[in-house]
Amino acid sequence: MVLQRKENILKIKSEKFGSRIAKMYLYLTSVKNETVMSKQIYRSGTSIGANIAESINAESNYDFIHKLSIALKEANETEYWLTNLHESGFINDKEFNSINSDNEELIKILVKSIKTKKERMGIDDTKR
């Protein structure tokens, strides 16, 4: 018997994003001869999907929130490196806008997913 899983849009989008990041890494290292920032964005950009994948079989609701929160932090770091690569001329406006919009979409979905799970659990973050 094959276990059927519900389609997970966040997982699908993060996997596609990770592939784009990997291609960007190859481009930056082979064409632009950039090795420092490209390694950083490769790590943070692919870590988003890895943490989302881990959240799928989380041990608890708190673990689920924790994994998605790590993915969100990695997406924020990826935004930093994308901006840095753009401002330093390694990627042009079109390349930046395209991949950055995908990252922003992941950030929005992650924020909403975390917020929704916390609301369902009765966790009130406004008292921090």
Side-chain angles (χ1 to χ4, degrees):
M1 183 173 127
V2 176
L3 181 64
Q4 293 265 305
R5 290 184 185 231
K6 189 171 89 171
E7 184 177 277
N8 185 324
I9 194 73
L10 187 54
K11 182 177 183 285
I12 293 165
K13 286 184 178 290
S14 66
E15 287 171 348
K16 287 181 181 176
F17 184 75
S19 293
R20 287 192 73 190
I21 289 292
K23 289 173 186 171
M24 176 188 243
Y25 172 79
L26 291 173
Y27 166 76
L28 289 169
T29 56
S30 63
V31 176
K32 297 289 189 168
N33 201 28
E34 198 298 312
T35 58
V36 177
M37 289 185 286
S38 58
K39 284 182 183 175
Q40 294 291 343
I41 198 162
Y42 182 78
R43 287 183 183 124
S44 65
T46 56
S47 182
I48 299 165
N51 281 288
I52 289 167
E54 284 188 40
S55 76
I56 293 169
N57 292 310
E59 295 174 8
S60 67
N61 287 331
Y62 291 103
D63 188 37
F64 177 80
I65 292 168
H66 179 69
K67 298 295 187 210
L68 290 189
S69 296
I70 293 170
L72 179 58
K73 288 179 182 181
E74 296 294 340
N76 285 322
E77 181 181 343
T78 299
E79 181 178 49
Y80 169 81
W81 291 117
L82 284 171
T83 301
N84 203 309
L85 285 162
H86 179 242
E87 290 180 358
S88 59
F90 286 104
I91 58 175
N92 64 35
D93 291 345
K94 184 179 177 183
E95 293 163 334
F96 171 78
N97 291 332
S98 174
I99 199 161
N100 192 56
S101 68
D102 285 352
N103 192 51
E104 286 176 350
E105 183 180 14
L106 284 172
I107 289 171
K108 287 176 186 175
I109 297 170
L110 284 164
V111 167
K112 180 67 175 160
S113 297
I114 293 165
K115 182 179 178 194
T116 300
K117 180 57 90 174
K118 285 181 176 181
E119 286 172 355
R120 288 181 182 164
M121 293 173 63
I123 298 172
D124 184 6
D125 274 351
T126 60
K127 296 181 182 178
R128 281 188 175 188

